[in-house]
Amino acid sequence: MYSYKINGGKPLKGDINISGSKNAVLGIIAAAMLIDGPCVLENVPDISDVRIMLNLCESLGAEIEYKDEHTVRIDPTKIKTHEAVSADVSRIRASYYLLGALLARSGKATLRLPGGCDFGQRPIDLHLKAFRAMGARSVGKTTNGIITLKADPLRGAKVFFDIVSVGATINVMLAATKAEGTTIITNAAKEPHIVDVANFLNAMGARIKGAGTDTIRIYGVPVLPGNFTYSIIPDQIEAGTYMIAAAVTDGDVTLHNLIPTHMEPLSAKMREMGYTIIEGDDTIRVFKEEDVEIEGTNFKTSPYPGFPTDLQPQAVVLLCKSTGISKMHENVWENRFQYVPELQRMGANINCIERVALVTGIKHFDPATVTATDLRAGAAMVCAALATEGTSYITGASKIDRGYEHIITKLRGVGADIERVEGIVNMNDYDT
Ligand code: UD1
């Protein structure tokens, strides 16, 4: 188990390149399992969740070949099983996409229930209801967290989601791509990575219309030829994290290779607080003009184009460094303030009442040893430690590496003093 050691209090200055989107590439790797020929993915982020997902696909029989660090050729034509039951399945959330992909490929799928960050309950009932509507039925009992679905055949259906779900939207899109007839998803999620998965599938031969709106129509096709090269979109959450890191260190950072419109939910809020955000075609520069006082504000997380829940912990760090009292309202997950005690150990003044965090601005954080309670909470701890004079340690740092490519190198490139160290123990550490 390793930690990050950060000597903070230095303004970040310079340029950072944004990597490919974690949540897009995980859906797209699963999607590659249902096509009938090879494909090449470019701009694949070098992060541990991707390596786990590729290992899972390899264990199904797919051929995976790294062309270079960010380019992967995937050939699913030799897939020989519909069973994904290894322990790796439980190490990441996105393994649930193999249900939809394998159902589409062979009409059956056996999966160990997925893992991922702990934000309270993370059911997959919406996925299962939709698969049932498409003619899939459970085979046997769900024992030891392993579920088997079979469809003979998988048919298009009308699917209405009463909760907007990113995972269920992508999973149904995957299954419907090769189902007989048309599937209409109503109240679909609209996140950029939903559009990216649909674009990938369409490039491979699928017929998906309306991704990015709340109604998606998928006209099933029998064969997806593949044989295409596809580049993954930039990571909205990685970009947002570095925007916040630049801001809380009073820095001046330009982020490259991103899509500025994807950042609007954060950019608008940061402008409201007093930061200067300058957008180029694929860049964003973040800094604070001299003598501008950063004022607190209120955030509410909600599905895209609302403020992303995956930037909520980092945005709370931003609020800690502003003046006055601010509110963060978490609308997506029932328990996503688990990291607050860690920030409080750094001196943060935060009171949580159910799904609302009341944040009173402080002048500075205190250095401390804190834990990355989950991936994005860990990123928030990094932001806080970078803003703090003195040495802080963030234990459980492997959680951060699930979603941030080369974070140490990128932050050092803009002047941060950050290194990976072994053997730091946090009394409150509950990393497993
Ligand atoms: C994905 C992201 C995660 C992000 C979340 C919301 C991946 C791998 N993970 O997670 O980082 O925080 O979107 O943007 O892309 N729900 C149900 N039943 C279901 C499915 C979801 O009740 O079957 C509820 C959840 O409990 C939650 C809400 O719907 O309250 C949204 O969840 P969802 O969008 O499905 O999140 P994930 O796809 O798991």
Side-chain angles (χ1 to χ4, degrees):
M1 214 166 65
Y2 56 91
S3 306
Y4 287 154
K5 175 183 176 190
I6 297 177
N7 289 313
K10 301 168 180 57
L12 301 184
K13 292 207 166 150
D15 300 85
I16 298 180
N17 278 321
I18 298 307
S19 301
S21 160
K22 163 184 167 289
N23 288 346
V25 75
L26 293 172
I28 287 173
I29 293 171
M33 295 303 99
L34 65 84
I35 59 180
D36 298 288
C39 65
V40 175
L41 302 182
E42 296 175 339
N43 203 29
V44 174
D46 182 18
I47 52 176
S48 58
D49 269 23
V50 165
R51 289 190 288 273
I52 293 170
M53 192 71 176
L54 288 172
N55 282 345
L56 279 176
C57 293
E58 213 161 27
S59 71
L60 297 172
E63 286 178 4
I64 310 291
E65 185 195 347
Y66 266 94
K67 297 279 182 197
D68 61 43
E69 193 184 14
H70 296 120
T71 309
V72 183
R73 182 178 185 275
I74 301 179
D75 184 350
T77 52
K78 295 198 182 110
I79 287 183
K80 52 186 183 311
T81 175
H82 63 278
E83 295 184 0
V85 292
S86 71
D88 273 350
V89 178
S90 313
R91 290 176 64 200
I92 57 172
R93 186 77 189 154
S95 52
Y96 56 19
Y97 293 139
L98 292 174
L99 266 184
L102 291 170
L103 267 181
R105 180 169 196 92
S106 58
K108 40 193 182 179
T110 299
L111 193 86
R112 184 179 289 279
L113 290 177
C117 296
D118 176 12
F119 315 137
Q121 287 202 18
R122 295 188 76 173
I124 57 164
D125 56 309
L126 296 173
H127 308 227
L128 299 178
K129 266 187 229 163
F131 292 146
R132 262 181 233 127
M134 297 174 74
R137 59 196 161 76
S138 302
V139 180
K141 282 190 176 165
T142 302
T143 38
N144 296 329
I146 293 176
I147 184 169
T148 296
L149 297 179
K150 204 167 177 184
D152 190 17
L154 198 63
R155 290 182 301 271
K158 284 190 173 167
V159 173
F160 172 79
F161 289 133
D162 50 4
I163 299 172
V164 177
S165 162
V166 170
T169 301
I170 291 181
N171 231 342
V172 172
M173 251 176 15
L174 298 181
T177 295
K178 275 187 164 176
E180 288 181 8
T182 302
T183 299
I184 302 174
I185 307 176
T186 307
N187 204 23
K190 297 180 277 207
E191 269 66 7
H193 40 291
I194 305 245
V195 179
D196 211 33
V197 175
N199 286 344
F200 166 79
L201 284 167
N202 283 341
M204 300 298 144
R207 290 184 60 213
I208 302 173
K209 308 249 183 266
T213 74
D214 51 21
T215 305
I216 303 179
R217 283 186 167 72
I218 305 121
Y219 305 93
V221 293
V223 175
L224 278 88
N227 270 317
F228 208 83
T229 296
Y230 189 85
S231 185
I232 309 295
I233 55 164
D235 196 302
Q236 177 204 25
I237 306 302
E238 187 201 21
T241 303
Y242 290 130
M243 285 172 71
I244 290 171
V248 294
T249 58
D250 287 334
D252 184 348
V253 172
T254 302
L255 304 169
H256 297 259
N257 303 330
L258 50 67
I259 299 176
T261 48
H262 292 172
M263 306 316 303
E264 197 50 35
L266 175 62
S267 302
K269 280 288 169 191
M270 289 181 71
R271 285 195 184 103
E272 187 187 320
M273 294 175 77
Y275 291 105
T276 303
I277 311 286
I278 299 174
E279 292 175 7
D281 288 343
D282 64 353
T283 58
I284 282 187
R285 179 177 166 209
V286 178
F287 64 101
K288 179 174 92 71
E289 300 278 6
E290 254 176 63
D291 303 330
V292 169
E293 187 168 44
I294 299 300
E295 289 173 19
T297 184
N298 298 329
F299 283 76
K300 275 187 189 164
T301 66
S302 57
Y304 191 81
F307 188 80
T309 175
D310 286 355
L311 283 175
Q312 182 257 96
Q314 303 90 314
V316 164
V317 173
L318 195 61
L319 295 178
C320 287
K321 290 280 288 177
S322 67
T323 56
I325 298 177
S326 306
K327 265 191 222 165
M328 172 60 79
H329 195 128
E330 173 57 53
N331 273 324
V332 178
W333 296 111
E334 63 172 15
N335 193 6
R336 206 174 184 167
F337 288 125
Q338 292 180 7
Y339 65 88
V340 164
E342 302 300 308
L343 274 187
Q344 285 167 336
R345 290 208 269 159
M346 298 185 75
N349 185 347
I350 305 172
N351 282 307
C352 290
I353 305 157
E354 294 180 354
R355 286 189 175 207
V356 179
L358 277 179
V359 184
T360 305
I362 50 172
K363 287 220 159 43
H364 56 81
F365 289 108
D366 303 321
T369 299
V370 291
T371 294
T373 52
D374 63 61
L375 162 62
R376 306 303 173 185
M381 299 304 141
V382 170
C383 292
L386 288 169
T388 307
E389 294 269 358
T391 304
S392 297
Y393 292 89
I394 298 153
T395 62
S398 61
K399 287 185 177 161
I400 302 168
D401 292 347
R402 288 187 41 216
Y404 291 87
E405 177 178 77
H406 306 162
I407 187 168
I408 291 189
T409 314
K410 289 190 185 191
L411 284 172
R412 280 189 186 159
V414 287
D417 182 351
I418 173 170
E419 66 180 304
R420 178 176 157 155
V421 291
E422 307 286 339
I424 304 298
V425 178
N426 183 350
M427 297 282 282
N428 293 354
D429 212 339
Y430 34 97
D431 185 28
T432 51

